[in-house]
């Protein structure tokens, strides 16, 4: 009888081991396939520099600017950017005079640029496996020369309460301008087509290497993007007054929106990330600006907001809500440069 019981227990142990191996393998396969599908659904960055023979998938911990131009100055370089076959190809330019060159930038405090081996080991494996995402954001310029920005919802996980142009992810088979204009419509209700734009085009303005959190002092990197800033300059008849009647902001994405004239943009750009606000008239800090916000019931209302909030910068121990994102300031600076 004892022999029979021992034999029975031995068989149970074998079956249990087999079941555990099958279950574990199935879970691993499920997790892998799920990750693969998720990765396949995202448009990811592929990189190539003068040392590489072909494009390859960018790694999450790989700094785009440093890879494209190791000897870059102040985190700025020129490169070639193309969205093709649901991949964003970024490569080193062959000539500084190439008309297809696009400026690419990251700040001195870029978390990926400043990663140490010790910090890399603390990044979760599911984050490390993400690769480098890409997105499109539209600097929309009205026919009367004003720039449209939105304030991200306070409830969002990344960059809550920060002012940015409308934008987001790129869906399969979209062009960059298709993605940017779709996100603009989804977030704000503004339906803009290339036929409404001067020369019927939406131009590439800048590529910004974006990381969240924006500084290592705020936590280890969770997201790494190449954000392609686009410029949509509308024809003269599409003024702010004409466009405002169709604004219908999405409360799941946006908390407020506003239009800014060139002088206000210059003030915003002057707020440097080192905290020094330069060349501002004394009355600027007390100014207000007109905005559309949402009340507690998610209904839109017109109000005035303090302009000084826009001049805040990313803090070392706390990110400041109400500021304009660093990448947006660089894109606006490029817009100012090209509009002169």
């Amino acid at each position: 009888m004892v022999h029979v019981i021992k034999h029975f227990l031995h068989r149970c142990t074998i079956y249990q081991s087999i079941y555990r191996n099958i279950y574990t393998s199935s879970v691993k396969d499920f997790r892998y396939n799920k990750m693969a599908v998720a990765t396949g659904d995202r448009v990811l960055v592929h990189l190539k520099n003068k040392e590489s023979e072909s494009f390859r998938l960018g790694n999450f911990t790989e700094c785009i600017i440093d890879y494209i131009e190791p000897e870059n100055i102040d985190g700025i370089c020129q490169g070639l950017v193309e969205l093709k076959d649901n991949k964003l190809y970024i490569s080193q330019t062959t000539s500084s005079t190439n008309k297809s060159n696009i400026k690419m930038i990251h700040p001195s405090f870029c978390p990926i640029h400043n990663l140490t081996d010790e910090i890399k080991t603390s990044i979760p494996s599911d984050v490390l496996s993400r690769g480098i995402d890409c997105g499109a954001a539209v600097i929309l310029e009205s026919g009367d020369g004003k720039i449209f920005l939105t304030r991200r919802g306070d409830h969002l996980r990344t960059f809550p309460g920060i002012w940015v142009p409308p934008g987001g992810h790129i869906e399969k088979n979209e062009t960059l301008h298709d993605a940017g204009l779709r996100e603009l419509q989804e977030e704000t209700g503004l339906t803009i087509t290339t036929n409404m734009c001067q020369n019927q085009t939406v131009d590439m303005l800048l590529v910004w290497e974006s990381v969240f959190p924006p500084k290592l002092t705020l936590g280890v990197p969770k997201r790494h993007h190449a954000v392609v800033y686009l410029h949509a300059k509308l024809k003269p008849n599409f003024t702010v007054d004409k466009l405002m009647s169709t604004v219908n902001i999405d409360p799941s994405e946006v908390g407020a929106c506003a239009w800014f004239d060139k002088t206000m943009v210059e003030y915003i750009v002057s707020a440097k990330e080192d905290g020094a606000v330069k060349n501002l008239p004394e009355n600027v800090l007390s100014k207000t600006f007109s905005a559309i916000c949402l009340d507690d019931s998610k209904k839109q209302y017109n109000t005035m907001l303090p302009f000084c909030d826009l001049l805040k910068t990313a803090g070392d121990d706390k990110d400041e809500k109400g500021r304009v994102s660093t990448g947006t300031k660089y894109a606006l600076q490029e817009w100012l440069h090209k509009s002169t």
Side-chain angles (χ1 to χ4, degrees):
M1 183 66 179
V2 173
H3 175 74
V4 172
I5 293 174
K6 285 183 178 180
H7 179 71
F8 173 76
L9 292 175
H10 177 68
R11 294 289 296 271
C12 287
T13 301
I14 293 174
Y15 290 143
Q16 187 178 40
S17 176
I18 293 172
Y19 172 77
R20 185 185 298 114
N21 290 335
I22 293 173
Y23 174 78
T24 303
S25 176
S26 298
V27 169
K28 286 180 179 178
D29 288 343
F30 171 76
R31 287 176 180 169
Y32 175 80
N33 290 334
K34 185 177 181 181
M35 182 181 70
V37 169
T39 301
D41 286 343
R42 292 183 289 118
V43 176
L44 298 175
V45 172
H46 289 66
L47 300 171
K48 180 180 181 296
N49 63 14
K50 62 182 180 181
E51 303 297 331
S52 53
E53 295 182 358
S54 59
F55 284 94
R56 60 169 181 76
L57 185 66
N59 298 318
F60 180 85
T61 58
E62 193 166 34
C63 178
I64 298 172
I65 308 300
D66 292 344
Y67 179 81
I68 296 300
E69 182 49 72
E71 298 179 0
N72 66 81
I73 300 174
D74 297 328
I76 302 174
C77 70
Q78 299 284 333
L80 301 174
V81 180
E82 182 183 16
L83 179 62
K84 183 180 178 181
D85 299 327
N86 299 309
K87 299 173 184 178
L88 187 70
Y89 293 103
I90 300 179
S91 60
Q92 191 169 24
T93 182
T94 54
S95 170
S96 59
T97 59
N98 189 333
K99 292 183 178 180
S100 299
N101 287 347
I102 296 296
K103 183 180 289 187
M104 300 188 290
I105 302 178
H106 69 199
S108 60
F109 54 82
C110 171
I112 298 297
H113 170 71
N114 292 292
L115 271 184
T116 63
D117 290 338
E118 182 180 0
I119 296 174
K120 286 181 183 179
T121 60
S122 65
I123 300 176
S125 59
D126 60 322
V127 174
L128 288 173
S129 65
R130 287 187 61 85
I132 305 173
D133 290 280
C134 64
V138 180
I139 300 287
L140 179 65
E141 180 181 356
S142 67
D144 47 349
K146 295 182 179 179
I147 295 297
F148 187 61
L149 297 179
T150 61
R151 189 180 68 198
R152 289 172 58 80
D154 288 338
H155 60 281
L156 295 177
R157 289 182 296 175
T158 59
F159 299 105
I162 304 299
W163 286 89
V164 296
H169 72 286
I170 300 168
E171 293 183 352
K172 275 193 170 183
N173 301 319
E174 279 188 318
T175 64
L176 286 167
H177 76 257
D178 283 342
L181 296 180
R182 172 185 52 77
E183 288 285 347
L184 172 65
Q185 196 281 326
E186 291 175 357
E187 293 181 8
T188 70
L190 287 173
T191 301
I192 303 297
T193 65
T194 53
N195 289 333
M196 298 167 63
C197 300
Q198 288 193 6
N199 301 320
Q200 297 187 344
T201 61
V202 176
D203 299 318
M204 201 181 307
L205 189 64
L206 180 85
V207 173
W208 171 253
E209 185 167 14
S210 172
V211 183
F212 182 82
K215 291 186 176 183
L216 285 175
T217 54
L218 299 173
V220 298
K222 298 177 181 178
R223 294 291 184 269
H224 186 191
H225 283 76
V227 179
V228 181
Y229 280 88
L230 307 166
H231 177 215
K233 182 176 176 61
L234 299 180
K235 294 176 181 178
N237 56 310
F238 295 105
T239 63
V240 169
D241 288 341
K242 184 173 182 178
L243 296 170
M244 284 298 284
S245 61
T246 61
V247 171
N248 183 24
I249 58 180
D250 178 4
S252 69
E253 296 280 349
V254 178
C257 64
W259 294 89
F260 300 93
D261 62 30
K262 186 176 180 180
T263 300
M264 298 172 79
V265 170
E266 289 173 343
Y267 293 153
I268 290 170
V269 168
S270 72
K272 305 301 182 183
E273 292 302 325
D274 59 7
V277 180
K278 302 176 182 179
N279 302 320
L280 294 184
E282 292 182 3
N283 65 337
V284 170
L285 297 179
S286 61
K287 281 183 176 293
T288 57
F289 65 95
S290 177
I292 294 177
C293 294
L294 296 176
D295 61 21
D296 293 339
S297 61
K298 309 301 182 185
K299 290 183 179 179
Q300 294 183 178
Y301 69 97
N302 294 309
T303 189
M304 302 299 293
L305 297 177
F307 188 78
C308 61
D309 282 353
L310 301 173
L311 306 179
K312 295 177 179 178
T313 56
D316 289 333
D317 54 1
K318 179 184 178 182
D319 199 4
E320 293 285 352
K321 290 184 178 180
R323 70 180 178 91
V324 177
S325 79
T326 310
T328 298
K329 284 191 282 191
Y330 275 103
L332 291 175
Q333 190 171 33
E334 188 71 7
W335 170 74
L336 286 170
H337 172 72
K338 291 189 174 183
S339 63
T340 54

